[in-house]
Amino acid sequence: GFSSPSSDTPVGAYKLVESSGGTAHNTNVGIGGLTSGTAYSVSAFVKAGERSKVAIKDGAGANYAAAFDLSTGTLLWEGYAGISSITALANGWFKISVISSQASTTRYPMIVLLSDSYTTSSNFDYTGDGTSGVYIFGAQLEEGSYPTSYIQSEAGGTVSRVADAITGAGDATLFSSVNSSGVLYAEIAANSDDLTDRVMSLCNGTDENRVSIYYSNSTNYIYGMVRVGNVAKATILHQLSDITDFHKVALRYNSDGAELYIDGSEVGTPSILDCSLASYPLNTLVYDKGNTGNKFYGKTKQVAVYNYLTDA
């Protein structure tokens, strides 16, 4: 009944209240049927109440753990074999997560309240007052080496995520003005730097004729590519400090070549080859390289196709 960060369930949050006495104050559940040695992400949305420090750990043992400060939005402590993160949201909410793999088919994800004086350690015990707590929403465990968005499911149930898709993304008539020249633009962030090719393309239904922006199999690199007649006319690359941060990316192309812009500045070495696709009319915008391969696993705030833009 408390305000949540989800528009689908706006009053779907709970309050996690500590018990009195000197012990660990937490909630947890055993989740079985998992694959041993596979990476899993444990995440939850949390907001400070009387307490402002929380932790995620494995209730069965020393497999993953991390502690967070909800007043400063910082990671306080990280232990065992986990990779942790905290992300600020609106209205005082944070998303916290821990990623790990273990040789077990059962997990015991635990959300733990911490004392106001907690700094850094694996001991989460303290004497509670019986009334203080934090707000919690959307705790979940999911298979994968990064936490995704909240997946609504029933208690004890399992849900498979359906990949996002671009629908109504145009046809040959709509894209006719950008066959010879244009701009593919996107404001995007990678889910992780997992060293795979993750591509979005303006194409003609194949990977042989396309304008593509993608994250690559080199760490923190983003690419702009134009292929015409199955020949790479432009391959422009730039290394970012962190591809999981949002960046505004524009790939501009015409018969004189192609340029890649990130956050308003030209990067990489521009192509001077003919990058016009006039001979191969474009007809679709997709989250892959044109032939359903190398799906774009990332976050998209916006994606658009423009007529050729001047420097101004």
Side-chain angles (χ1 to χ4, degrees):
F2 294 94
S3 177
S4 85
S6 170
S7 59
D8 293 329
T9 50
V11 289
Y14 291 81
K15 190 173 185 182
L16 181 60
V17 179
E18 66 192 32
S19 57
S20 58
T23 183
H25 309 282
N26 62 77
T27 181
N28 73 88
V29 61
I31 301 176
L34 308 181
T35 303
S36 176
T38 297
Y40 286 87
S41 302
V42 180
S43 62
F45 298 90
V46 286
K47 180 179 180 178
E50 295 82 9
R51 299 296 180 197
S52 61
K53 296 178 180 179
V54 294
I56 294 178
K57 76 178 295 289
D58 179 8
N63 293 301
Y64 56 85
F68 308 88
D69 189 333
L70 305 180
S71 64
T72 60
T74 55
L75 176 68
L76 292 171
W77 175 82
E78 185 176 53
Y80 315 139
I83 301 173
S84 311
S85 68
I86 178 169
T87 304
L89 305 172
N91 300 320
W93 284 94
F94 290 88
K95 184 174 185 180
I96 58 174
S97 67
V98 177
I99 306 158
S100 73
S101 58
Q102 67 185 61
S104 174
T105 58
T106 301
R107 289 283 174 92
Y108 297 87
M110 179 183 290
I111 308 298
V112 188
L113 295 175
L114 303 178
S115 68
D116 294 337
S117 60
Y118 178 89
T119 53
T120 57
S121 77
S122 58
N123 182 10
F124 300 144
D125 294 3
Y126 70 96
T127 301
D129 59 20
T131 59
S132 297
V134 301
Y135 301 98
I136 181 171
F137 174 80
Q140 66 185 33
L141 178 142
E142 58 188 307
E143 184 176 345
S145 58
Y146 45 83
T148 64
S149 57
Y150 170 57
I151 308 169
Q152 188 168 350
S153 61
E154 297 299 324
T158 300
V159 175
S160 296
R161 175 180 295 282
V162 177
D164 291 335
I166 300 174
T167 58
D171 54 29
T173 301
L174 179 63
F175 291 134
S176 61
S177 63
V178 295
N179 287 330
S180 299
S181 61
V183 176
L184 175 60
Y185 170 84
E187 186 174 359
I188 50 176
N191 285 332
S192 66
D193 188 21
D194 66 4
L195 304 181
T196 63
D197 288 339
R198 289 140 289 167
V199 190
M200 63 170 61
S201 303
L202 176 62
C203 66
N204 70 342
T206 74
D207 65 342
E208 298 179 357
N209 305 289
R210 58 187 167 100
V211 180
S212 298
I213 292 171
Y214 65 99
Y215 299 112
S216 79
N217 56 7
S218 298
T219 189
N220 283 324
Y221 269 91
I222 193 163
Y223 279 68
M225 171 178 281
V226 180
R227 293 187 71 85
V228 182
N230 207 25
V231 176
K233 298 290 187 175
T235 304
I236 307 168
L237 63 155
H238 179 69
Q239 187 174 29
L240 299 167
S241 58
D242 187 351
I243 58 172
T244 64
D245 292 336
F246 273 98
H247 295 278
K248 298 177 180 180
V249 185
L251 179 59
R252 184 173 71 171
Y253 59 95
N254 66 6
S255 59
D256 294 326
E259 303 93 26
L260 180 67
Y261 293 81
I262 297 180
D263 298 327
S265 298
E266 185 177 354
V267 298
T269 303
S271 169
I272 58 174
L273 300 178
D274 184 351
C275 291
S276 168
L277 286 111
S279 299
Y280 304 93
L282 302 167
N283 59 24
T284 189
L285 181 64
V286 290
Y287 275 136
D288 56 54
K289 67 175 184 178
N291 65 352
T292 73
N294 299 116
K295 297 288 188 182
F296 183 81
Y297 293 110
K299 293 164 284 208
T300 309
K301 286 188 175 179
Q302 55 181 320
V303 58
V305 178
Y306 296 107
N307 290 330
Y308 194 84
L309 301 176
T310 67
D311 290 347

